[in-house]
Amino acid sequence: MSPVEIRPFEAGDLTACGALLAQRHRRHRLTQPLLSPRFETPETAVAEVTAAFKAPDASGAVAIRAGVPVGFVLGAPKTSPLWGPNIWVEAAGQAATDAETMRDLYAAAATRWVDEGRTAHYVVVPADDQELVRAWFRLGFGQQHAHAVRPATKLATKPLAQDLTVRRATRADIPDLARLDLELPTHQGLSPTFSAGRIGTVEESLADWADDIDKPEYATFVAVRDGTVIGSAIGCALEKSSSHLGPARPDNAGFLGYAAVFPPARGAGAGRALGTAVVDWAVDSGFDCVVTDWRVTNLLSSRTWPRLGFTETFLRLHRTIGY
């Protein structure tokens, strides 16, 4: 195999690198056919790579072999302090004809990123491309998050405990919904996830729910045991999510966007019942599939959602430089 030249990504690379992304997505859909076929077309893939290239403060690298691009990586920072001094390689930000080349591409691109002080690196990788995932692992990355999809088909319901029911939320549920808003970030801050995400206040959530409870684009469910709300879940169209972008966004997809159960009530099937309610809502709403995501260190969600038939499509990998 002839040697590879690695150089900074330039505007003239967009067409060839878009073709590489289209090829990657075509392979990905062999195992994940629910992903959108749109990104198999070079024109759509080029548009996605162009958007990544034109993102504020974006930069990256391209690999050239015998005068032909054989790989690229593009990253850009997010402004939220939640992610630290960061750089993100989103789902459209990488492709290569061989996984080992990605290690050279990262080495070149990360030199600039670290020189700019961006030491928290995130990359979204096709879950089924084991060689590419392994290449990122050999660069010091570990898995932080999972994106997943399942067909919009009714779930085989298991009998609920006699004292457990699931129904649509009403305005009278707002105090419980506001308290449940704090449960997921609180749980994520505990071992073994240790998320640094901000935990809001009940007062903030009360105000948000007062404005949002009647919005038809959101389907909010509550789990009730012995007349008391013990959990909640929200469904909506995937377009409402800012986390599933480009090739990671299936067409006509519903989204299981949130679910939480109060700690004393966990382990009795409320989470599964709430997830089932959102999936069934998505079926009744005419969506073709349902998407969700979870921190893989969240022991509850990383076990519950695969049991509902969600399979991983993309993995978010993470590396912190300097430790």
Side-chain angles (χ1 to χ4, degrees):
M1 186 177 294
S2 58
V4 173
E5 171 199 356
I6 307 292
R7 60 164 174 77
F9 194 105
E10 301 172 353
D13 300 317
L14 290 169
T15 298
C17 290
L20 290 172
L21 177 63
Q23 293 167 13
R24 189 205 79 187
H25 193 68
R26 194 173 299 116
R27 294 192 302 270
H28 196 180
R29 290 195 67 248
L30 294 175
T31 55
Q32 287 290 352
L34 291 174
L35 293 174
S36 174
R38 294 183 298 115
F39 301 98
E40 293 186 13
T41 63
E43 295 82 6
T44 302
V46 169
E48 287 296 315
V49 177
T50 300
F53 178 67
K54 292 184 175 180
D57 297 317
S59 63
V62 62
I64 308 293
R65 178 179 290 122
V68 178
V70 294
F72 75 96
V73 65
L74 280 169
K78 293 188 177 183
T79 57
S80 172
L82 173 65
W83 309 111
N86 67 84
I87 200 81
W88 278 73
V89 177
E90 294 282 6
Q94 62 168 308
T97 56
D98 64 279
E100 186 63 20
T101 298
M102 190 57 64
R103 302 215 300 156
D104 298 293
L105 287 162
Y106 173 76
T111 299
R112 172 173 172 173
W113 298 339
V114 174
D115 286 346
E116 293 174 343
R118 307 188 189 282
T119 54
H121 298 178
Y122 302 84
V123 56
V124 181
V125 185
D128 293 338
D129 193 336
Q130 292 301 307
E131 290 303 312
L132 186 58
V133 172
R134 282 170 50 82
W136 284 105
F137 282 172
R138 296 198 306 278
L139 286 164
F141 283 75
Q143 186 180 353
Q144 182 187 59
H145 210 78
H147 298 241
V149 69
R150 58 153 288 134
T153 55
K154 294 276 187 172
L155 286 161
T157 56
K158 291 184 176 181
L160 300 178
Q162 290 184 350
D163 56 354
L164 180 64
T165 59
V166 174
R167 60 168 173 79
R168 291 292 287 264
T170 69
R171 189 163 286 273
D173 298 314
I174 286 178
D176 293 312
L177 293 170
R179 291 172 53 225
L180 282 160
D181 275 352
L182 277 58
E183 287 301 328
L184 181 57
T186 297
H187 180 71
Q188 301 274 51
L190 302 176
S191 180
T193 300
F194 298 115
S195 171
R198 175 182 177 271
I199 299 174
T201 67
V202 171
E203 290 73 21
E204 291 170 335
S205 291
L206 285 170
D208 289 341
W209 278 112
D211 292 336
D212 295 344
I213 188 67
D214 297 319
K215 290 184 177 179
E217 59 264 41
Y218 295 97
T220 303
F221 296 87
V222 291
V224 181
R225 186 173 66 190
D226 293 332
T228 300
V229 172
I230 60 171
S232 66
I234 301 173
C236 61
L238 186 58
E239 285 75 15
K240 297 292 183 181
S241 169
S242 61
S243 299
H244 300 261
L245 304 174
R249 176 167 290 184
D251 297 328
N252 193 33
F255 183 43
L256 172 55
Y258 184 88
V261 177
F262 287 124
R266 291 171 187 164
R272 179 184 178 91
L274 287 162
T276 298
V278 172
V279 170
D280 288 350
W281 163 83
V283 175
D284 294 337
S285 299
F287 291 107
D288 294 326
C289 60
V290 187
V291 168
T292 195
D293 58 89
W294 61 84
R295 286 288 180 99
V296 294
T297 45
N298 181 331
L299 304 183
L300 298 176
S301 58
S302 65
R303 291 166 179 161
T304 300
W305 304 143
R307 288 170 182 162
L308 291 184
F310 287 96
T311 60
E312 293 178 343
T313 52
F314 287 85
L315 311 180
R316 182 206 298 164
L317 311 181
H318 173 50
R319 179 187 184 188
T320 300
I321 306 297
Y323 298 94

